[in-house]
Amino acid sequence: MERTADSGTSLRIAIQKDGRLTDKTINLLEGIGLRFDDYKRSLMLQCRNFDVELLLIRDDDIPEYVQDGVCDLGFVGGNVTAETQADVTVLQGLDFGICRLSLAAPKDGKIQTIQDFQDKIIATSYPNLTRSFLEKHNVEANIVTISGAVEIAPRLQVADAICDLVSTGNTLKANGLEELEIIFESETEIIQTNKTLSPGKQKLIKKFLQRIDGHLQAERSRYIMMNAPKSAVPEIKKIIPSLKSPTVMPLADEDMAAIHTVIPIEEFWVVMEELKAAGATGIVMLPIESMIL
Ligand code: ATP
Ligand code: ZN
């Protein structure tokens, strides 16, 4: 068990109790080596092997808990932090929970441009973000705050349009709505309190973030191995968008070499074809657990 200087004051992290972010957040925490007991049933969860305590709450409450210093860190959508206007520091985006907050209106209706929202009723769970976007465009609308099932408001004739979170757009389509304007792009983020933290906690946060960073880097990378004729090695080195110089090792067959390297995942398929054309054979790609550069 790792302990801070001010032992007994665990790093307290707020995460969503039961929603879209919960499993992904826990998977990430477990991916950096933290172990927890069954998280589905608890409100507070002590990590078994790191000085961390999780508080499982509604995502809407996370920025405020972090702002007030009840929790030191929080994992929450940027959309929620921006809407609540909490005084916190965003430390790191996490590549999941990716979505956008968009204005949408009934398809083929009267609302087509931003100006058409003038004097209309807009239903949303994000009144602050919606209002400030419209203000920026000099549009005055009547914003009605509702907490769920926003997408059915136009059909119920409670509103003319909506401003809601979209990821695939299928929900909008299913409700006869058309996405007209993206007002905020969001992903899950780690936020930190702006309250003063003890040196022990600061150290712990640094260590925690280093692990997260190593994990994210690893997730975005793949370890690739291949064999190639020695004569092809210079050409192969040119193709590989490697983090560092690749490892080149001799093989039993003196004319051949093994080449190992790490590449960004999005490059793999493009690079693989080029490597094959350059003479590489037996190309193997492996996931990486963690990496420290
Ligand atoms: P809670 O009970 O914690 O208040 P919730 O219903 O507000 O939950 P979820 O639907 O679980 O929240 O969404 C949590 C977060 O997931 C959102 O705030 C947003 O950051 C992200 N998200 C990603 N894609 C979508 C989407 N298509 N619709 C809604 N949220 C999404
Ligand atoms: Zn919520």
Side-chain angles (χ1 to χ4, degrees):
M1 168 79 87
E2 302 184 46
R3 284 270 157 205
T4 46
D6 46 337
S7 180
T9 51
S10 295
L11 196 60
R12 195 178 286 163
I13 304 177
I15 73 166
Q16 191 185 21
K17 173 155 180 55
D18 187 13
R20 289 171 197 261
L21 309 183
T22 311
D23 286 348
K24 285 192 173 134
T25 304
I26 292 282
N27 285 347
L28 172 58
L29 295 174
E30 291 190 333
I32 62 163
L34 275 56
R35 294 290 167 260
F36 301 95
D37 296 320
D38 185 9
Y39 63 90
K40 302 265 180 203
R41 272 175 289 156
S42 320
L43 284 176
M44 283 272 243
L45 212 50
Q46 183 68 46
C47 175
R48 281 194 261 124
N49 57 351
F50 199 90
D51 204 357
V52 157
E53 184 176 60
L54 297 184
L55 190 66
L56 290 98
I57 53 181
R58 284 198 62 193
D59 69 343
D60 312 60
D61 297 331
I62 293 175
E64 217 164 296
Y65 271 63
V66 174
Q67 169 185 274
D68 297 347
V70 178
C71 293
D72 308 304
L73 300 179
F75 283 64
V76 67
N79 51 308
V80 179
T81 306
E83 175 63 24
T84 53
Q85 296 168 354
D87 177 18
V88 297
T89 301
V90 176
L91 295 180
Q92 167 109 54
L94 295 171
D95 279 356
F96 67 85
I98 291 167
C99 59
R100 53 197 189 270
L101 184 63
S102 290
L103 284 165
K107 208 168 157 33
D108 309 321
K110 286 191 196 122
I111 304 174
Q112 295 294 334
T113 68
I114 304 176
Q115 272 64 42
D116 298 338
F117 285 92
Q118 179 70 35
D119 299 325
K120 297 290 190 297
I121 301 172
I122 306 174
T124 186
S125 309
Y126 294 85
N128 292 328
L129 290 174
T130 306
R131 192 172 303 111
S132 70
F133 178 84
L134 292 174
E135 271 171 12
K136 245 191 274 159
H137 290 85
N138 296 315
V139 173
E140 270 180 52
N142 183 359
I143 295 167
V144 178
T145 307
I146 51 178
S147 60
V150 172
E151 65 279 3
I152 60 166
R155 234 187 318 146
L156 298 177
Q157 295 181 336
V158 192
D160 302 305
I162 65 165
C163 188
D164 202 10
L165 293 177
V166 183
S167 46
T168 59
N170 287 341
T171 309
L172 289 185
K173 240 182 250 162
N175 287 283
L177 299 167
E178 184 180 8
E179 186 176 3
L180 294 171
E181 197 75 42
I182 297 173
I183 75 163
F184 189 85
E185 306 221 44
S186 184
E187 64 178 337
T188 309
E189 295 167 342
I190 305 179
I191 54 172
Q192 182 180 331
T193 187
N194 287 337
K195 299 265 187 229
T196 309
L197 295 169
S198 67
K201 276 199 178 175
Q202 287 178 30
K203 236 166 100 184
L204 208 52
I205 289 179
K206 206 168 149 205
K207 212 182 218 179
F208 180 78
L209 290 175
Q210 257 169 8
R211 287 200 192 184
I212 296 267
D213 196 48
H215 185 79
L216 293 179
Q217 298 251 23
E219 257 189 352
R220 294 173 190 146
S221 308
R222 289 294 179 271
Y223 191 85
I224 61 167
M225 308 186 283
M226 74 207 83
N227 294 338
K230 273 189 179 153
S231 58
V233 170
E235 176 65 17
I236 286 177
K237 275 190 179 170
K238 270 191 243 158
I239 298 168
I240 294 172
S242 162
L243 293 170
K244 281 193 184 153
S245 169
T247 308
V248 181
M249 289 167 289
L251 288 175
D253 177 344
E254 283 182 5
D255 296 331
M256 297 288 286
I259 303 154
H260 291 196
T261 193
V262 172
I263 64 165
I265 186 167
E266 65 275 9
E267 312 259 10
F268 176 72
W269 293 106
V270 180
V271 167
M272 192 200 61
E273 279 162 26
E274 291 179 28
L275 291 172
K276 251 176 89 179
T281 52
I283 305 171
V284 174
M285 172 179 84
L286 298 171
I288 305 169
E289 274 282 313
S290 189
M291 58 197 271
I292 291 144
L293 295 179

